[in-house]
């Protein structure tokens, strides 16, 4: 039977909505939608690049809880509220994942639970990944 482990990050929505930041099942780690909120504070308000960098940092911190780094990331999903922000969010993605080159999906959405959020990211990692 595959063991399952969960990690919390302190998101203001984890407890009231009953979810984990990341879940590991066997060799796979899935990180749920991550924004630039830390505690109850939104970092990078109005700045999609900064929001993406903070969100990637939080998501990668969750991956690190399972002993993995950016090199283990095999998929990223980026959700944006404005297509105009794709270049800035893409720049942040390249800074973090250029050497890794995970598969990526970018989706423009209508909005998030807090209208100040411009970017939400998801990651999937694999513990058997190698360069």
């Amino acid at each position: 039977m595959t063991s399952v482990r969960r990690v919390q990050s302190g998101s203001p929505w984890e407890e009231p909505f009953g979810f984990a930041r990341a879940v590991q099942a066997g060799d796979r780690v899935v990180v749920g939608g991550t924004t630039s909120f830390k505690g109850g504070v939104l970092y990078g308000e109005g700045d999609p690049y900064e929001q993406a960098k903070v969100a990637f940092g939080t998501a990668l911190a969750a991956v690190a809880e399972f002993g993995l780094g950016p090199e283990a990331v095999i998929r990223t999903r980026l959700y944006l509220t404005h297509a105009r922000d794709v270049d800035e969010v893409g720049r942040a993605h390249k800074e973090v994942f250029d050497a890794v080159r995970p598969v990526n999906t970018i989706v423009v959405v209508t909005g998030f639970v807090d209208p100040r959020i411009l970017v939400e990211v998801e990651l999937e990692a694999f513990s058997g990944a190698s360069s």
Side-chain angles (χ1 to χ4, degrees):
M1 178 176 228
T2 300
S3 66
V4 176
R5 290 181 43 215
R6 292 170 175 79
V7 168
Q8 303 299 129
S9 70
S11 159
W13 296 287
E14 286 173 0
E15 189 59 36
F17 293 176
F19 70 89
R21 168 66 46 225
V23 175
Q24 180 183 41
D27 290 341
R28 187 173 177 208
V29 174
V30 181
V31 181
T34 304
T35 68
S36 64
F37 264 98
K38 289 187 175 201
V41 178
L42 177 70
Y43 289 83
E45 187 169 346
D47 184 343
Y49 168 81
E50 188 62 29
Q51 285 193 20
K53 290 287 284 200
V54 172
F56 286 136
T58 300
L60 287 171
V63 169
E65 290 287 326
F66 300 105
L68 302 174
E71 71 285 348
V73 175
I74 59 171
R75 172 185 287 279
T76 59
R77 290 184 189 94
L78 312 175
Y79 302 94
L80 314 175
T81 53
H82 303 285
R84 68 172 184 241
D85 296 336
V86 72
D87 290 338
E88 286 300 293
V89 174
R91 179 168 65 98
H93 187 277
K94 183 174 174 107
E95 288 176 10
V96 176
F97 296 109
D98 192 31
V100 178
R101 300 289 171 128
V103 297
N104 173 258
T105 301
I106 301 172
V107 179
V108 176
V109 298
T110 303
F112 298 111
V113 295
D114 184 308
R116 298 172 299 162
I117 298 171
L118 302 174
V119 179
E120 187 168 315
V121 304
E122 294 179 349
L123 305 180
E124 292 185 36
F126 178 67
S127 63
S130 62
S131 303

